[in-house]
C-alpha cells in the first residue's frame, strides 16, 4: 500500500506550470519533438524572460522598467512567427500592435495607466469584431476581406483597459456551427478554412478541441499573455482542458454579446482564457459588461478579491461514473 510508484511524478507546493511542462515535455511527445523546454528558454531580452509570466508579474516588470509593452509585443510576435506554422493558433496578427504598445508605453511614462491590462498583449477569437486593420471572419473564407463597422463592446473595454490586441486566434469555423459528421468530428473541431487545424501544443498529432482552439493554444504556447474565447457549449472549457490552461464560461448576461458572430444568443458568451486563475479573474473583470437578466444584480468591480490559494484545502473531489465515463460520452478520438 505504501510502496512508491517509480513512474509517479513527484509534485510539491512550489511547482509551477512551467516546471510541469518541462517535466511532461521531456517524457512525452511534445512540441517540435525537442520538448517545450527548449522553447521556454526564448525571451524578450537577456534581462527579462516573459514566458509563463502572469499579468501581475508583467505589470510589475513594466512598472519597474525591466521591460516595455513594445518589447513584450515584439517577443510574442516572434514566437508566433516561429511556432504558428506548426500550431496554426493565430489566423492573423495586428499590424499596428507594436505602435499601439509604444503609445501605451508613452502613457505609462507620463504616469497614465489605463487599467489592469495596460500594455498586456491579448489574442481574441476571430468571431469577435475588431474595427482595425484585421478581419473578422469566424475562420470562414465567405467573410474574407470584409470589414466590421465597429469594435465589439468587449474589444472597446479591452482597449480602454490598456490591452494590446495582438491578433486573431484560430477557431472551429463558425464556432463549430457546421457539419458534425463522423468524417470530420471530432478531429476537426479546432479547424477553420482560414486557419487550418489548430494542433495541440503538447502533441502535434492531437486536437486542441474547439471552438476556441486558437485562444487556448495561444495561451498554452505563450503566444500571448491571455486570450479571449467564446462558448455556446464547451467551446472555452474543452480547449482549456486539453491545453492545460484555465478557461471560464461566465454566467450568461455577464459579458456582452454585441459584435460577436453568434450561434445561439440563449447560450453564447465570451470568456477569459489564461495560464492561471489569477489572470482569468483579472480578464473577467475587464470583460464584464452585463445585459439582460444580469442587469440590476449587484456585481463586483473586480474578481481578484475572491482568489484564495487555500480554497480547496480538505476538499474531496469525486465523479459520477454514470455520466463521466467514455462509454457514456467519449471523445471519439482513437486511443483517447
Amino acid at each position: 500500500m505504501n510502496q512508491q510508484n517509480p513512474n509517479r511524478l513527484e509534485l510539491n507546493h512550489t511547482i509551477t506550470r512551467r516546471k510541469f511542462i518541462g517535466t511532461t515535455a521531456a517524457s512525452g511527445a511534445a512540441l517540435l519533438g525537442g520538448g517545450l523546454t527548449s522553447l521556454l528558454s526564448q525571451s524578450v531580452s537577456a534581462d527579462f524572460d516573459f514566458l509563463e509570466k502572469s499579468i501581475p508579474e508583467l505589470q510589475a516588470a513594466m512598472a519597474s522598467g525591466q521591460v516595455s509593452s513594445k518589447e513584450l509585443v515584439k517577443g510574442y510576435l516572434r514566437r508566433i512567427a516561429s511556432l504558428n506554422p506548426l500550431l496554426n493558433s493565430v489566423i492573423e496578427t495586428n499590424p499596428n500592435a507594436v505602435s499601439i504598445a509604444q503609445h501605451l508605453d508613452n502613457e505609462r511614462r507620463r504616469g497614465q495607466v489605463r487599467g489592469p491590462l495596460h500594455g498586456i498583449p491579448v489574442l481574441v477569437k476571430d468571431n469577435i469584431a475588431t474595427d482595425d486593420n484585421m478581419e473578422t471572419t469566424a475562420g470562414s473564407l465567405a467573410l474574407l476581406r470584409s470589414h466590421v463597422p465597429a469594435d465589439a463592446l468587449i474589444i472597446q473595454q479591452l482597449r480602454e483597459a490598456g490591452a494590446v490586441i495582438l491578433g486573431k486566434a484560430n477557431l472551429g469555423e463558425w464556432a463549430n456551427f457546421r457539419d458534425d459528421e463522423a468524417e470530420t468530428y471530432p478531429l476537426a473541431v479546432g479547424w477553420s478554412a482560414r486557419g487550418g487545424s489548430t494542433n495541440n501544443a503538447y502533441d502535434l498529432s492531437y486536437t486542441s478541441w474547439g471552438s476556441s482552439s486558437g485562444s487556448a493554444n495561444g495561451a498554452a504556447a505563450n503566444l500571448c499573455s491571455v486570450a479571449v474565447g467564446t462558448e455556446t457549449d464547451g467551446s472555452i472549457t474543452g480547449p482549456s482542458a486539453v491545453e492545460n490552461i484555465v478557461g471560464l464560461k461566465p454566467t450568461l448576461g455577464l459579458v456582452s454579446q454585441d459584435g460577436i458572430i453568434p450561434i445561439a444568443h440563449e447560450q453564447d458568451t465570451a470568456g477569459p482564457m489564461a495560464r492561471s486563475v489569477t489572470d482569468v479573474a483579472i480578464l473577467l473583470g475587464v470583460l464584464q459588461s452585463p445585459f439582460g437578466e444580469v442587469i440590476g444584480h449587484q456585481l463586483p468591480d473586480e474578481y481578484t478579491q475572491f482568489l484564495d490559494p487555500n480554497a480547496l484545502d480538505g476538499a474531496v473531489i469525486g465523479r459520477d461514473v454514470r455520466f463521466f465515463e467514455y462509454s457514456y460520452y467519449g471523445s471519439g478520438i482513437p486511443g483517447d
Side-chain angles (χ1 to χ4, degrees), residues 84-96:
N84 203 55
L86 288 166
L87 298 175
N88 295 326
S89 178
V90 181
I91 284 182
E92 64 178 312
T93 56
N94 186 351
N96 299 321

Side-chain angles (χ1 to χ4, degrees), residues 240-262:
S240 296
V242 299
E243 290 285 3
N244 194 36
I245 66 162
V246 183
L248 175 71
K249 180 183 183 181
T251 298
L252 185 66
L254 185 63
V255 176
S256 173
Q257 299 173 328
D258 290 351
I260 302 175
I261 297 172

Side-chain angles (χ1 to χ4, degrees), residues 175-261:
N176 278 339
F177 192 53
R178 55 189 176 84
D179 165 41
D180 64 352
E181 293 300 318
E183 303 85 56
T184 58
Y185 182 84
L187 288 173
V189 288
W191 174 93
S192 75
R194 279 194 73 196
S197 182
T198 311
N199 298 317
N200 193 287
Y202 304 99
D203 182 350
L204 294 176
S205 68
Y206 191 71
T207 178
S208 287
W209 284 104
S211 60
S212 302
S213 55
S215 299
N217 190 279
N222 283 266
L223 305 185
C224 61
S225 172
V226 293
V228 180
T230 68
E231 175 166 334
T232 303
D233 180 17
S235 286
I236 290 174
T237 55
S240 296
V242 299
E243 290 285 3
N244 194 36
I245 66 162
V246 183
L248 175 71
K249 180 183 183 181
T251 298
L252 185 66
L254 185 63
V255 176
S256 173
Q257 299 173 328
D258 290 351
I260 302 175
I261 297 172

Side-chain angles (χ1 to χ4, degrees), residues 55 59 104 115-122 158 161-164 226 282-283 286:
I55 291 173
Q59 288 292 2
L104 291 165
L117 295 183
H118 193 101
I120 298 294
V122 180
L158 285 168
V164 179
V226 293
I282 293 170
L283 185 53
V286 173

